[in-house]
Amino acid sequence: MVKRLRVGVLISGGGTNLQAILDACESGRLTAEVVFVGSDTPQAAGLERARRRGIPTFVVDYRAVTAAFRENPGAAALPADFRLEEIRAKQGLMGNTVDPARVDGFLVSRAMAEAALLAAMREIPYDLIALAGFMRTLTPYFIDRVNSDRASLRLMNIHPALLPAFPGTDGYGDTWRYGCKVAGCTVHFVDYGEDTGPIIGQRAFPIREEDTLETIRRRGLEQEWELYPECIQLFAEGRLRTERMVHELPGGRRFERSVVRIAPAA
Ligand code: GRF
């Protein structure tokens, strides 16, 4: 008997992926329950989907937090356990060509918002956090506190492209503009980079001559609604394991990466 996984979902927008997860929980396709829904945007329409079902919701208004920081950076109320040097060293969101002051400002303002998210999340026990159209990059400060046990990742994201192609906020748009003949979506664990974490599942579909960005988005979302609950179910069944792979390549090069291994169904 698989125990019901407690899933916390974070959203920014319409929440159709949240809806797919809720529906899969209801139909029994997913041995899970959504225990809370959080958002960075007070107007996120998806919040209503949770409220209708009596699921607790919370909002951390990122826009307000970052605006307050920009106005008066000196007054930043940082969480007591925030160590800027450590977070700066770990983050893989911005390269070393970016002005260090900008990097620090970004990390500090995000940590303020992330501390508020974590405080709300602490109220309700969870086994997994699923980002479902949560349009904010998360820093190592947040990621490490969700993955309190380093050996077991429990922060998942769905991305609208076949990673590692087209990370960022507009995966379908980037795929389309590039002239790709295949589009797709990816569910992955979150690491310190931008959409770079170990891949759990992917779905691909052909791009046809008559397709537009709109039809690609539509078909992509339909794939997402199936893929995300499937990946969460694999997690619920304890079938996901992350393994560090090291490959020796010609010319003495090495390729090292954490990959997800999926155990066969019991
Ligand atoms: C999805 O395409 C997801 O992959 C991306 O943002 C979109 C969210 O859609 N990260 P919704 O809010 O779940 O409808």
Side-chain angles (χ1 to χ4, degrees):
M1 171 71 188
V2 182
K3 87 168 181 20
R4 271 157 81 91
L5 187 81
R6 298 165 301 181
V7 186
V9 181
L10 299 181
I11 62 167
S12 296
T16 63
N17 276 289
L18 164 66
Q19 188 66 51
I21 295 168
L22 290 168
D23 292 347
C25 291
E26 261 169 36
S27 73
R29 205 155 54 85
L30 190 43
T31 324
E33 58 179 323
V34 174
V35 290
F36 61 74
V37 175
S39 177
D40 63 319
T41 311
Q43 304 78 19
L47 287 169
E48 201 39 45
R49 299 178 193 268
R51 288 188 193 120
R52 272 204 298 270
R53 285 178 158 75
I55 296 169
T57 63
F58 57 81
V59 174
V60 173
D61 189 343
Y62 264 59
R63 193 177 283 190
V65 173
T66 51
F69 174 76
R70 267 197 307 275
E71 225 157 80
N72 191 357
L78 279 167
D81 59 351
F82 179 77
R83 306 273 173 275
L84 180 58
E85 301 70 37
E86 181 202 331
I87 305 299
R88 194 199 289 130
K90 284 180 175 172
Q91 70 86 21
L93 300 166
M94 285 166 286
N96 48 15
T97 55
V98 180
D99 171 13
R102 252 193 70 202
V103 174
D104 288 358
F106 176 84
L107 295 173
V108 167
S109 63
R110 293 305 136 135
M112 289 162 60
E114 289 174 354
L117 276 181
L118 289 162
M121 288 159 54
R122 259 194 299 274
E123 297 297 311
I124 303 169
Y126 58 84
D127 305 303
L128 174 74
I129 296 296
L131 307 178
F134 185 71
M135 304 305 277
R136 301 285 177 171
T137 42
L138 293 164
T139 77
Y141 178 75
F142 182 90
I143 295 166
D144 286 351
R145 277 152 190 80
V146 172
N147 292 331
S148 43
D149 171 5
R150 292 299 157 82
S152 53
L153 307 180
R154 54 174 191 155
L155 181 55
M156 260 188 208
N157 182 39
I158 186 150
H159 180 76
L162 288 171
L163 291 171
F166 310 121
T169 53
D170 190 14
Y172 294 130
D174 291 339
T175 303
W176 161 245
R177 285 185 288 273
Y178 199 89
C180 293
K181 304 305 179 211
V182 172
C185 51
T186 304
V187 171
H188 62 95
F189 285 118
V190 174
D191 69 2
Y192 300 145
E194 188 181 23
D195 303 317
T196 52
I199 290 173
I200 300 164
Q202 294 185 299
R203 285 287 184 94
F205 56 93
I207 297 178
R208 299 181 292 245
E209 222 25 71
E210 63 274 21
D211 270 320
T212 63
L213 179 49
E214 276 327 296
T215 62
I216 290 170
R217 276 219 171 95
R218 184 77 221 157
R219 279 163 54 223
L221 269 174
E222 284 167 10
Q223 296 293 322
E224 292 184 33
W225 302 333
E226 289 182 13
L227 178 66
Y228 214 176
E230 269 174 32
C231 292
I232 295 173
Q233 182 61 17
L234 289 174
F235 186 98
E237 292 173 13
R239 292 169 58 194
L240 302 179
R241 192 168 51 81
T242 313
E243 191 178 321
R244 192 77 189 159
M245 302 294 288
V246 182
H247 303 275
E248 305 293 343
L249 300 175
R253 285 177 305 130
R254 252 162 98 89
F255 182 79
E256 223 180 293
R257 184 169 164 80
S258 295
V259 301
V260 171
R261 297 266 168 237
I262 303 175

